[in-house]
Amino acid sequence: MAEADGAEDGKPRSDEAHSAFTPPPGMEPGVLDDDRPTSEFVRPPNTGPVPSEPEGSAFAAPATYSAAQSPPAHTPGQGFPVAQLKDSPWQDRMRTMLRMPVDVRPVPDLVQRPSETGPAVGRVLDLTLRIGELLLSGGEGSEDVEAAMFAVARSYGLDRCEPTVTFTMLSITHQPSLVDHPVSASRTVRRRGTDYTRLAAVFRLVADISSPETDISLEEAYRRLAEIRRNRHPYPTWVLTAAAGLLAGAASVLVGGGVVVFLAAALGAVLGDRLAWLCAGRGLPEFYQFVVAAMPPAAFGVALKLAEIEDIKASAVITGGLFALLPGRALVAAVQDGLTGFYITAAARLLEVMYLFIGIIMGVLVVLYLGLQLGASPKPEEVLQITQRPLVQIAASMALVFTFAILLQQERSTVWIVTLNGAVAWVTFGALHYAGGIPPVPSTCIAAGLVGLFGQLFSRYRFASALPYVTAAIGPLLPGSATYYGLLLIAEDRLNEGLGSLVNAAAIALAIAIGVNLGSETSRLFMRIPGAASAVKGRAAAKRTRGY
């Protein structure tokens, strides 16, 4: 009886009565049909005839909406830009198109002839990833790696491609059409090595693939890529070890050392290089290789200090060894990626630089601490007292850059050019800092800017990468003295002063990287890129990652 009464009173019998589709009490359930519309896009009743609605109203019918007379939707007021980039280097052409929105990129000219069935999408994507892997593992900037991958894909007929580069991962996606499924491929970069001869060969391969005058099939491209991978380094191991010693010796002379200091720094660097090779052969991470490589030059410097030989600047031995170890190449690549919008890769590269720098600090600090326990009495102030010997320092800077270029495995034709570029950098720094009295940070930035400017112009003249013309040239500008000065103060328990000197060294290093990038960007003012200005109007490089 109670349940029957509850039903008659209209009260719910169970939870099913609370359904959202149940009419509320007091309302008559209705039937949805064409006479009783419920869509919010239907005109409400008693709103007047359709033509009386003002233009732009949500209820007004479009003036025209036929395929024959449709308005030009999504077309800018000035029309679509037409980019004519055939006469510029492939780096500039591909970089310009990468900075364009996808829907306004020009249709690519088919450079390499595909097969009768069309381009082999899988093989083209694989070839593109392999080329990008060699460039990224060789230290090339992320933007240039993307440009090279984009050039290869477009040359073989894959126009709707989007390459993506991070520190350890390469990926590329091809969209055949608006109705087809995309095809994606990726590749992991596990090994990194410095070989600018191989890097230059890859750049030549990309230039030939993207050139309409050269016919390179996929088989030929794979064959050339395999040859590049199999090619041995241009310099044997003993030449690299000797170059490391000469680099440290030249750096010690640059900061005021003499003949004895030169020999001590060279022997310490050679021993450190051999120990690092031994650790690498045993599979130890690069961090520990830098720890071990930093110890022998520091030990030679402490030994000279314990010998108390007059007119011997023992601190120059350790400073010279630091010049041979500071990761200037990785720092320049990190800052370049950050300034061009590749923030993930830039952060990873900066983290790598930090680990290597900490490894150098640990190796030197251990030896300095042992030297202080043995009674060595270093004088930190003498580190910054560099004797001005213009001719000797210019010759030492050129020797430093020359040996640095050999360590980077550069082609012999580029070694002399980068040596002259490094000499210009040191002369500029000396004129600004020593003669002009300008602080070291802005002086270093200006000198590095000239390095980047000339390096970029040389690379465009030879249609090659800018790294072989830039990386070794910044060698004389590296903050070896400021780094050693800070480490020496920390070893003497003067922590605040030591950290301040290390911060100054980091500021000089960042000034080098920013100056190189600024010089590279300035060089574009001297190069005419047809159609690039109109193609990227309203979407400049500085804005392409900000969403407008």
Side-chain angles (χ1 to χ4, degrees), residues 263-356:
L263 295 176
L267 290 176
V270 168
L271 181 58
D273 181 77
R274 287 292 86 198
L275 290 176
W277 276 94
L278 181 63
C279 293
R282 296 297 184 271
L284 288 178
E286 198 172 11
F287 173 83
Y288 300 104
Q289 298 176 28
F290 272 76
V291 173
V292 172
M295 288 183 174
F300 274 83
V302 171
L304 287 179
K305 196 64 181 179
L306 290 174
E308 296 182 353
I309 303 176
E310 296 184 359
D311 299 331
I312 296 297
K313 194 174 181 180
S315 61
V317 177
I318 305 178
T319 304
L322 290 176
F323 269 91
L325 295 176
L326 291 177
R329 173 184 60 85
L331 180 64
V332 171
V335 175
Q336 180 182 359
D337 285 345
L339 293 177
T340 52
F342 294 85
Y343 300 117
I344 296 178
T345 308
R349 290 185 190 269
L350 285 176
L351 188 62
E352 179 190 29
V353 171
M354 184 188 72
Y355 273 109
L356 299 181

Side-chain angles (χ1 to χ4, degrees), residues 84 110 150-151 158 164 194 223 225 233 235 292 317 335 356 367 379 417 447 450 515 518:
Q84 299 176 354
L110 193 59
F150 197 64
L158 305 185
T164 304
T194 304
R223 186 190 63 79
L225 191 62
H233 298 305
Y235 307 104
V292 172
V317 177
V335 175
L356 299 181
V367 177
K379 299 177 181 179
I417 298 176
L450 289 179
L518 183 61

Side-chain angles (χ1 to χ4, degrees), residues 94 97-103 105-108 119-129 145-165 171-177 181-185:
M94 297 303 113
M97 282 189 281
L98 280 173
R99 293 177 179 180
M100 291 181 186
V102 179
D103 55 343
R105 288 176 183 169
V107 178
V121 177
R123 298 195 67 193
V124 172
L125 295 183
D126 179 71
L127 176 67
T128 301
L129 290 173
V145 175
E146 280 196 0
M149 295 171 64
F150 197 64
V152 174
R154 287 175 66 91
S155 298
Y156 285 106
L158 305 185
D159 55 336
R160 298 184 184 90
C161 285
E162 285 297 328
T164 304
V165 176
S171 63
I172 186 169
T173 301
H174 170 60
Q175 181 76 38
S177 67
H181 295 290
V183 181
S184 299

